[in-house]
Amino acid sequence: MLSVAILYFLIKFPDKIINLFQLDKGFDNNQISITNFNAYNILTISLVVIGGFLIIENVTTLISLLYQEFKYK
């Protein structure tokens, strides 16, 4: 249910999210500089992305298990 609410908010109000995180600032040119990418940086970015996906995927399970545990006690 929380995932659906977040998805609805992201689709319905993208301007509020852009203004909240100031995503439109500092992008004056259309080029992305990748001059200092090496294997270590690519590995670090990929591990952060994979770890983020794993955390997001398992947060709902954690919340439901904690809810059930508190409900039984």
Side-chain angles (χ1 to χ4, degrees):
M1 186 67 182
L2 179 66
S3 301
V4 174
I6 291 172
L7 183 63
Y8 175 77
F9 187 76
L10 288 173
I11 291 172
K12 191 73 175 172
F13 305 108
D15 293 333
K16 290 184 179 182
I17 296 168
I18 290 170
N19 291 336
L20 176 68
F21 292 112
Q22 298 177 353
L23 298 174
D24 58 346
K25 307 266 194 275
F27 295 105
D28 296 331
N29 57 6
N30 294 332
Q31 294 179 342
I32 298 173
S33 176
I34 56 170
T35 57
N36 61 353
F37 270 111
N38 55 18
Y40 180 76
N41 290 340
I42 294 172
L43 181 65
T44 304
I45 291 171
S46 63
L47 287 176
V48 167
V49 169
I50 292 170
F53 281 134
L54 288 173
I55 289 171
I56 290 171
E57 183 178 327
N58 291 315
V59 163
T60 55
T61 306
L62 175 68
I63 291 172
S64 67
L65 289 174
L66 287 173
Y67 174 74
Q68 289 175 0
E69 188 67 29
F70 285 127
K71 189 169 119 177
Y72 289 131
K73 290 185 179 183

